[in-house]
Amino acid sequence: MVRALPSARNLSTPTLNDHVPALLDEIALAFRRNSDESIAEVLADGTPPEHGLQRLHDGYLIEEVVAEYNLLRGCIHDLAGTHQINLQGKPFHVINLVFDSAIGLAVQTFSVNRALEVQRRREEYLSFIAHDLRTPLNAVALASKVLESTLASQNADPRAARMIKVLQRNVQSMSGLVAKVIEENDSMKTESGVKLERRNIDLWPLVESMVYDLNPVAGTGSTRLLNDVPEELVIYADANLLRRMMQNLIANAITHTPHGEVVIGAAHTADGSGTECWVSDNGLGISKDRMDLIFEKFETETREQGGLGLGLAIFKTFVEAHEGSFDVVSEPGKGSRFSFILPNRPDRR
């Protein structure tokens, strides 16, 4: 009878029977207690919530969850009639109270979890859109800055300069809306405390925009920033976290390379399983006795003492959230090379 329900047609018999024996035990317990007040207590930690959640995973409709319980209720009454057992009066009341309570608990669990799933998908969809928009917006913002600089050096028509300002204001406004969507989704956390929205990302424009933004900071100490990322390279990562990871490494390199060169590069790993990104410099370097400390939280010594601040602790957290790995090679007086590897998108075949 249950298999006649559309969602139950392709389910195995063990799957259909999973919670039925336990529910029968709960009905028997309710009879033995012979108290209306105890029935809700019997069922509170019993099978109906599990059953409702299981049927959600099985692809049931909510009305089919109710129908399944009512079919079982009907079977009990039919069995009682076949064996000349009188279920009138108190027994009838207990059975109906048990099933009504069970249906309520199962439907509540089913509905709450389906609503949470719908909300999760909506938030995931909005976050995907937001992250997808952020990269082209950054590219447009970068292009507008380059155009502004070029037109200023050529004494171009003032109207063109005004149009660029309009473009920049609108890009800034859209970037703010995108950031708001991402911020509102940040309340959902992964086990590592970081929410991931991984997508395929063009790495070169992401790095180029950071180089452009950080060049004024680097320029104050005569530090050159070079983007050595292949223009066609694509990496599978969370765009927001990847930007923060790269920013932390680049900012750290600038701090410890007051007069020199910082190179940002990337390449696919030799075995093709992921993408390696690195930031190398020819700055102060790190002593061997401090190599084990640089990724620790609250490592906040000053620059003169060789401190690297919280940036590398955050960097480590984000790499681990991506299930990636990281490495550092450094020699005092010659510079450092920080690198990390992020795995490719899993094959869904």
Side-chain angles (χ1 to χ4, degrees), residues 15 40 97 127 142 168 187 248 284 306 312:
T15 299
L97 190 56
S127 189
L142 174 63
Q168 289 175 338
S187 58
N248 285 344
L284 302 177
L312 293 180

Side-chain angles (χ1 to χ4, degrees), residues 119-132 134-135 181-190 194-201 235-242 318 321-322 342 345 348:
Q119 181 181 357
R120 184 192 66 79
R121 289 182 180 179
R122 175 181 173 275
E123 289 174 342
E124 184 180 66
Y125 177 69
L126 287 174
S127 189
F128 279 172
I129 291 175
H131 282 294
D132 281 348
R134 173 170 275 184
T135 299
V181 172
I182 294 174
E183 180 183 349
E184 289 177 352
N185 280 279
D186 277 347
S187 58
M188 297 177 65
K189 306 292 184 181
T190 64
V194 181
K195 178 177 171 58
L196 287 182
E197 298 292 356
R198 279 181 275 200
R199 303 296 291 249
N200 286 327
I201 301 164
I235 187 171
Y236 182 59
D238 181 299
N240 184 39
L241 298 189
L242 179 63
F318 290 170
H322 281 85
L342 301 187
R345 185 172 190 162
R348 296 184 177 181

